[in-house]
Amino acid sequence: MTDVVNLYTMNGCPRCSVLKKRCANSKYISTADFKIITIDPTDDSDTDVQLLKEKGIASMPIMLVNDTFYDFNSAMKFLTDME
């Protein structure tokens, strides 16, 4: 089964840029169903924003792998471990 990976980012976020580059170079991501979702955290009508708020997430980037959320540091470690 192929893993589903969503990377939630926002414009102007330095860590988001770093994690996007890391994903672009990841062998694991190349085998996953991968999508980058750029959000505006002030848009309460956005269902992605609502999901992240419901989970208590207030910082970007966030990587969702199947049903598990990873913050920046956890996502970087996850990608390293999957290589």
Side-chain angles (χ1 to χ4, degrees), residues 12-67:
C13 168
R15 285 183 165 203
C16 296
S17 297
V18 169
L19 190 52
K20 280 184 201 177
K21 287 178 188 171
R22 178 67 178 91
C23 287
N25 296 320
S26 169
K27 291 177 187 170
Y28 164 73
I29 292 296
S30 69
T31 66
D33 179 5
F34 179 66
K35 181 168 47 170
I36 296 174
I37 302 166
T38 303
I39 65 166
D40 173 357
T42 63
D43 183 0
D44 290 330
S45 67
D46 184 331
T47 56
D48 291 315
V49 172
Q50 291 173 7
L51 170 69
L52 296 175
K53 286 184 177 181
E54 286 172 8
K55 298 295 182 183
I57 296 168
S59 65
M60 293 289 120
I62 294 295
M63 190 168 75
L64 174 61
V65 180
N66 300 321
D67 295 323

Side-chain angles (χ1 to χ4, degrees), residues 3-16:
D3 287 336
V4 176
V5 180
N6 290 341
L7 178 59
Y8 296 94
T9 67
M10 62 185 214
N11 292 325
C13 168
R15 285 183 165 203
C16 296

